[in-house]
């Protein structure tokens, strides 16, 4: 049986907070949340959904999902780093009290939120530079939707393993952390296929746009995540 520690209390409390947040989002706008979790539309190489969620990224349910995704990713990163014991020297992932863990979670989520805002600006600039303005809103919407789905699944798997009966080795959670880092790869692939079917440009033009908006940021994030 696992020994009780401060992280246990934080982990359970953070899951309760996330569950309450998600329930509030679903109660406020169930149709919008259902749209975000439509797997067949999210993974389709073509744009199958025509809704106003794409054109109103930071209003209403979209902003709520934006915040929830950052909180969920922040929770997932702090949890997997702590459980895998990858960076024991990083104070952001280790704390002496529940309140300190919650504060670290808020800081991590805030950093992710700033990163997503920066990505929005990057997409805005790149779409204008590469003349793919028609795909701009869809790109960010699909990136947010796929990030939410991946983070949701990885969080469920991590919680199921961690809250199990037995202690699991650090290598298991280290693998989960690597999955978090590499999760952007399928997102890039799906977005590229959607872009390829939505824009009438050659592959080199679209690849240049994708490199500026997805591949280069991914390499930077991967480098920070490893080192």
């Amino acid at each position: 049986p696992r020994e009780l520690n401060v992280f246990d209390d934080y982990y359970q409390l953070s899951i309760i907070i996330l569950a309450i947040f998600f329930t509030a989002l679903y109660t406020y706008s169930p149709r919008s949340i259902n749209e975000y979790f439509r797997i067949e539309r999210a993974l389709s190489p073509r744009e199958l959904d025509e809704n106003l969620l794409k054109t109103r990224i930071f209003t209403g349910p979209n902003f709520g999902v934006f915040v929830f995704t950052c909180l969920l990713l922040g929770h997932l990163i702090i949890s997997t780093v702590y459980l895998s014991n990858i960076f024991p020297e990083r104070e952001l992932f280790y704390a002496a009290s529940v309140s300190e863990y919650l504060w670290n979670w808020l800081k991590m989520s805030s950093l992710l939120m700033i990163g997503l805002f920066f990505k929005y600006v990057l997409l805005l600039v790149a779409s204008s530079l590469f003349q793919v303005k028609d795909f701009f809103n869809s790109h960010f919407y699909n990136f947010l939707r796929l990030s939410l789905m991946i983070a949701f699944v990885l969080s469920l798997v991590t919680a199921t393993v961690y809250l199990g009966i037995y202690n699991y080795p650090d290598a298991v959670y280290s693998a989960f952390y690597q999955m978090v880092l590499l999760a952007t790869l399928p997102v890039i692939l799906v977005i590229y296929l959607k872009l390829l079917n939505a824009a009438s440009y050659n592959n080199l033009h679209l690849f240049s746009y994708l490199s500026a908006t997805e591949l280069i940021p991914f390499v930077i994030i991967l480098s920070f995540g490893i080192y």
Side-chain angles (χ1 to χ4, degrees), residues 7-23 68 71-72 74-76 79 83 98 102 105 152 154-164:
F7 181 80
D8 288 328
D9 297 333
Y10 154 75
Y11 193 84
Q12 295 173 30
L13 180 59
S14 61
I15 289 179
I16 293 173
I17 293 173
L18 287 169
I20 293 174
F21 198 127
F22 184 79
T23 302
F68 178 76
L71 288 172
L72 188 62
H75 163 80
L76 181 60
S79 301
L83 294 171
V98 174
L102 292 174
W105 177 28
F152 200 87
L154 288 176
S155 296
L156 284 178
V157 173
T158 304
T160 302
V161 172
Y162 178 66
L163 298 176

Side-chain angles (χ1 to χ4, degrees), residues 51-66:
N51 55 65
L52 295 177
L53 290 174
K54 295 179 183 177
T55 59
R56 301 175 180 177
I57 297 298
F58 295 118
T59 59
N62 268 338
F63 187 74
V65 171
F66 183 88

Side-chain angles (χ1 to χ4, degrees), residues 24-65:
L25 281 177
Y26 191 80
T27 302
Y28 174 68
S29 183
R31 289 186 60 184
S32 299
I33 300 303
N34 288 333
E35 285 292 333
Y36 271 98
F37 283 95
R38 289 198 175 187
I39 299 177
E40 73 283 357
R41 292 188 176 185
L43 300 181
S44 172
R46 296 181 180 274
E47 290 292 85
L48 300 178
D49 50 345
E50 295 293 338
N51 55 65
L52 295 177
L53 290 174
K54 295 179 183 177
T55 59
R56 301 175 180 177
I57 297 298
F58 295 118
T59 59
N62 268 338
F63 187 74
V65 171

Side-chain angles (χ1 to χ4, degrees), residues 177-194:
Y177 176 71
Q178 299 300 325
M179 290 179 188
V180 175
L181 289 180
L182 298 176
T184 306
L185 285 177
V187 174
I188 294 174
L189 177 61
V190 172
I191 289 177
Y192 176 72
L193 292 175
K194 289 179 181 291

